[in-house]
Amino acid sequence: QTCALPICETPGQHSANGVQNAVSTIYDDFKAGLKADAQLSVVAREYLTITRKLSPEVINAATIGMVPVEYDCKMAFQSLFEEYKEAIADAVGTAKKALEADLESLEIQVNSLQEIIAKATGWIVFFHMDAKHKFGRMRFRKPHSKKFMSWQTPEAPRGVFGLDMGSVVIDADNADSGLLVMEGEFNLLTLQTLRLKYCDAVAIEKQYLCACAVGSANDTDYSTIRRACRRPTIIHDKDDNGAGFNLVKKALRHMTVFSTATPVAKDLDEHIKAFGDDHTGAMKSIEDIVRARAILARDAESIADVIRTIRAGRGKAHQINDDVATVVREDLKDFTYFYQASDKSYLFRRDTKEL
């Protein structure tokens, strides 16, 4: 599942496609690294399949790989570097300086990636993607450890992990909130492994769930989530200090969400594994968790900021009004009574009793 795109003809102005092409090459190499016969590859696969109990089919389908020995990521960017140099040779004046600055910036970013790779031989790599399936962030995790490093693809959103895997919605009656969002990548991979085993158990076609993982609540790409689903369902971790709920609290600055969690286990991975080989029972419990969700309204001030931005923009009055109405309807329709008086509109929040 690569996201190879043609290299842009004007690298200095629009290098995003060239970077995507390079990152796609790195992804292919890391995917091959995970499948290789080398000892490090075997250790990584055993960590995923034996320690983490993931299905090989899920591992193959997910945008996940492993850093090979002595990998040089600069080779993947070589053609883009050459395009910059050719463009710089043909340019003059301010255009030339802009291209030189772009190239220098790219070289710094690629060097930072190489520094991470040099320290991460044999580590698992999660490739995050945006709603258009463009590569965003790479998250490196050391097997049998909680050590992480990450690198952000230039000129791209951070993205989320696993959004491209499936489309099956658990609660078909509420398909507009069908995207399941969780924090850790292994929560997602364990859930999709369960889904395949459940499909085998009940003899139905194998299809993955509509779900994604953000990697970290402190650095979540909410714009990608919102583009994928206006009202996602967040299955948050249940940490002793309540830190897992931070993902929900921060999401409310950007969108209305449904919130739910496992009854006892600290996260979805632990909850699913507690069922052992009872895949039907585990899947039923996931459905119960989703249906027990509570809807939480988006922060009112953030909605006001969006409306102010729309009002300040250019365009025909009726289109601006339609855009404002869409924001209000999608984020507040389940919480608000609407009143019209002369030339003013009022919203009464049923949850907070505020006008």
Side-chain angles (χ1 to χ4, degrees):
Q1 297 188 18
T2 56
C3 187
L5 299 172
I7 295 177
C8 192
E9 294 179 358
T10 53
Q13 297 176 11
H14 306 287
S15 64
N17 285 350
V19 171
Q20 284 293 308
N21 206 43
V23 176
S24 177
T25 297
I26 294 171
Y27 168 69
D28 287 341
D29 292 342
F30 284 10
K31 196 74 171 178
L34 187 58
K35 296 178 180 179
D37 295 329
Q39 181 61 29
L40 272 178
S41 303
V42 173
V43 171
R45 288 199 301 273
E46 288 179 348
Y47 169 67
L48 295 173
T49 58
I50 298 175
T51 304
R52 286 290 179 172
K53 302 185 187 306
L54 301 178
S55 160
E57 194 171 348
V58 168
I59 296 169
N60 187 57
T63 50
I64 184 174
M66 187 208 76
V67 180
V69 176
E70 297 181 351
Y71 187 81
D72 184 2
C73 73
K74 296 178 183 179
M75 297 300 295
F77 287 90
Q78 195 59 44
S79 61
L80 183 57
F81 288 152
E82 293 301 322
E83 287 197 18
Y84 266 108
K85 291 173 183 177
E86 290 175 7
I88 289 170
D90 293 336
V92 294
T94 56
K96 187 182 189 74
K97 290 181 179 179
L99 286 167
E100 289 172 338
D102 284 349
L103 176 57
E104 181 180 4
S105 175
L106 179 61
E107 288 175 335
I108 291 171
Q109 291 166 323
V110 173
N111 286 337
S112 71
L113 174 59
Q114 185 58 43
E115 289 176 4
I116 292 173
I117 288 173
K119 300 174 184 176
T121 299
W123 288 33
I124 303 299
V125 187
F126 304 102
F127 288 79
H128 290 220
M129 306 174 86
D130 69 8
K132 296 181 179 179
H133 306 309
K134 291 184 177 180
F135 289 111
R137 177 171 42 185
M138 296 183 203
R139 291 237 308 162
F140 298 76
R141 176 164 181 165
K142 186 177 182 179
H144 305 287
S145 168
K146 291 188 177 181
K147 290 183 178 180
F148 283 95
M149 293 188 286
S150 66
W151 182 79
Q152 171 63 43
T153 304
E155 304 178 39
R158 293 187 298 279
V160 295
F161 178 71
L163 187 61
D164 60 324
M165 288 186 71
S167 59
V168 174
V169 174
I170 286 180
D171 188 358
D173 294 334
N174 293 285
D176 64 334
S177 58
L179 176 65
L180 304 181
V181 179
M182 53 219 68
E183 189 168 340
E185 290 94 346
F186 281 120
N187 285 334
L188 175 72
L189 294 172
T190 300
L191 176 63
Q192 299 292 22
T193 293
L194 169 63
R195 171 65 187 180
L196 291 194
K197 291 179 177 178
Y198 168 76
C199 290
D200 282 338
V202 298
I204 62 173
E205 181 185 359
K206 287 184 177 181
Q207 290 181 314
Y208 293 111
L209 294 172
C210 180
C212 70
V214 301
S216 170
N218 295 323
D219 194 24
T220 298
D221 183 358
Y222 293 105
S223 63
T224 288
I225 295 173
R226 186 175 172 89
R227 287 189 183 97
C229 182
R230 297 289 292 189
R231 295 181 168 195
T233 297
I234 298 178
I235 306 177
H236 64 84
D237 291 353
K238 290 182 69 173
D239 303 294
D240 293 337
N241 59 3
F245 194 69
N246 284 338
L247 179 60
V248 175
K249 290 192 290 186
K250 292 180 179 181
L252 291 175
R253 301 172 191 168
H254 304 269
M255 66 196 93
T256 294
V257 303
F258 288 87
S259 172
T260 188
T262 56
V264 178
K266 68 179 181 67
D267 61 22
L268 208 55
D269 183 38
E270 183 180 283
H271 175 79
I272 291 170
K273 287 175 180 174
F275 282 83
D277 293 331
D278 183 9
H279 309 309
T280 302
M283 198 68 230
K284 172 65 165 57
S285 76
I286 299 300
E287 294 172 358
D288 291 341
I289 288 170
V290 171
R291 293 194 171 97
R293 61 194 173 178
I295 190 168
L296 301 176
R298 183 181 181 182
D299 175 71
E301 188 57 34
S302 73
I303 298 174
D305 286 342
V306 173
I307 292 174
R308 293 186 193 108
T309 300
I310 294 173
R311 291 289 187 204
R314 296 179 179 180
K316 295 182 179 179
H318 71 86
Q319 184 59 56
I320 290 174
N321 290 336
D322 284 348
D323 292 343
V324 169
T326 297
V327 171
V328 173
R329 183 172 59 250
E330 291 182 344
D331 284 316
L332 290 173
K333 68 177 181 180
D334 292 325
F335 309 93
T336 311
Y337 292 119
F338 295 83
Y339 300 96
Q340 182 76 31
S342 184
D343 61 340
K344 295 185 180 295
S345 297
Y346 297 87
L347 308 176
F348 179 75
R349 290 283 294 266
R350 298 196 297 269
D351 53 343
T352 62
K353 309 302 182 186
E354 294 176 312
L355 184 64

